[in-house]
């Protein structure tokens, strides 16, 4: 007659193997949670910066005059005056010819780590770093100007640079956005 049970050694080996498998699965699960937290933080930071950059550049593109103030931390601009009635063909209000300012002074300011639309008071982006926080960068720990005037050919342009830094207990994340806008109506 054969004995059909498991021996003590077989039971200990199987319990040990299942224990190791359980520890491995828990480590895999906790690692994936850390990766998810890091990735979602990176995406949120990049999304906020890209939305702010898109809004700022769309506002600056039609500007007719621009001034940079506060060492490049503030940009003051004015837009062209528009016609009162819309164009009958396009249905849009067009610029008055010759192009003149609408008389409203608008501005964006980077201060205390925030990019603010000074007209509405709305905070467009947070965690804006006053220095380049990326140790891999050639400009590491150097102050940079978020707004810089430049020219492209014979046209005026503005370079907008936003570097955000978010520090957590587990990692540091930097996001760099840079765009140059040619002014359509720049004088």
């Amino acid at each position: 007659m054969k004995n059909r049970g498991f021996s003590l050694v077989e039971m200990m080996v199987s319990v040990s193997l299942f224990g190791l498998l359980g520890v491995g699965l828990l480590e895999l699960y906790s690692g994936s949670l850390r990766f998810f937290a890091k990735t979602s933080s990176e995406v949120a930071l990049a999304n906020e910066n890209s939305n702010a950059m898109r809004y700022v550049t769309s506002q600056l593109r039609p500007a007719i005059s621009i001034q940079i103030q506060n060492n490049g931390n503030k940009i003051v601009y004015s837009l062209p005056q528009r016609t009162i009635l819309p164009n009958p063909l396009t249905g849009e209000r067009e610029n008055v010819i010759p192009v003149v300012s609408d008389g409203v002074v608008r501005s964006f300011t980077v201060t205390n780590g925030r990019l603010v639309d000074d007209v509405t008071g709305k905070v467009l982006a947070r965690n804006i770093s006053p220095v380049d926080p990326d140790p891999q960068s050639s400009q590491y720990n150097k102050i940079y100007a978020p707004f810089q005037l430049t020219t492209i050919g014979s046209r005026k342009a503005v370079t907008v640079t936003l570097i955000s830094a978010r520090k957590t207990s587990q990692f540091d994340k930097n996001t760099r956005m840079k765009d140059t806008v040619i002014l359509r109506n720049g004088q």
Side-chain angles (χ1 to χ4, degrees):
M1 187 179 328
K2 282 189 163 184
N3 198 357
R4 293 191 174 228
F6 294 106
S7 70
L8 180 60
V9 172
E10 292 172 333
M11 288 297 290
M12 288 177 58
V13 168
S14 63
V15 167
S16 297
L17 287 176
F18 279 119
L20 287 173
L21 180 65
V23 168
L25 287 174
L26 284 174
E27 185 59 34
L28 181 65
Y29 179 69
S30 66
S32 64
L33 287 178
R34 283 191 302 272
F35 182 73
F36 176 76
K38 181 179 179 183
T39 303
S40 62
S41 178
E42 290 173 0
V43 167
L45 188 61
N47 191 36
E48 182 178 59
N49 277 3
S50 68
N51 287 338
M53 182 68 77
R54 189 177 312 115
Y55 179 76
V56 169
T57 57
S58 72
Q59 293 297 307
L60 294 177
R61 190 166 283 114
I64 62 170
S65 69
I66 287 189
Q67 296 174 346
I68 306 293
Q69 300 174 352
N70 299 342
N71 296 322
N73 288 308
K74 182 172 186 169
I75 186 164
V76 179
Y77 65 101
S78 63
L79 296 176
Q81 185 175 3
R82 309 291 287 228
T83 58
I84 296 172
L85 298 174
N87 181 311
L89 297 176
T90 63
E92 296 180 3
R93 293 177 52 209
E94 297 178 346
N95 294 346
V96 172
I97 305 290
V99 178
V100 294
S101 172
D102 65 358
V104 178
V105 177
R106 299 165 176 87
S107 62
F108 295 108
T109 304
V110 175
T111 182
N112 297 324
R114 298 177 305 152
L115 171 63
V116 179
D117 181 343
D118 295 330
V119 173
T120 63
K122 182 178 179 184
V123 176
L124 303 173
R126 292 172 178 74
N127 303 311
I128 303 296
S129 176
V131 297
D132 189 341
D134 186 4
Q136 306 280 335
S137 172
S138 62
Q139 300 298 313
Y140 177 60
N141 266 348
K142 293 183 181 173
I143 296 174
Y144 71 96
F147 304 107
Q148 294 177 330
L149 281 177
T150 186
T151 57
I152 297 178
S154 62
R155 306 289 303 265
K156 282 186 179 179
V158 176
T159 299
V160 182
T161 306
L162 298 177
I163 303 174
S164 294
R166 183 175 290 167
K167 298 184 184 305
T168 67
S169 61
Q170 297 174 345
F171 56 89
D172 297 343
K173 176 59 186 152
N174 305 319
T175 301
R176 178 185 316 268
M177 302 263 173
K178 186 173 187 177
D179 198 2
T180 300
V181 180
I182 297 174
L183 307 180
R184 279 190 208 141
N185 303 303
Q187 298 173 352

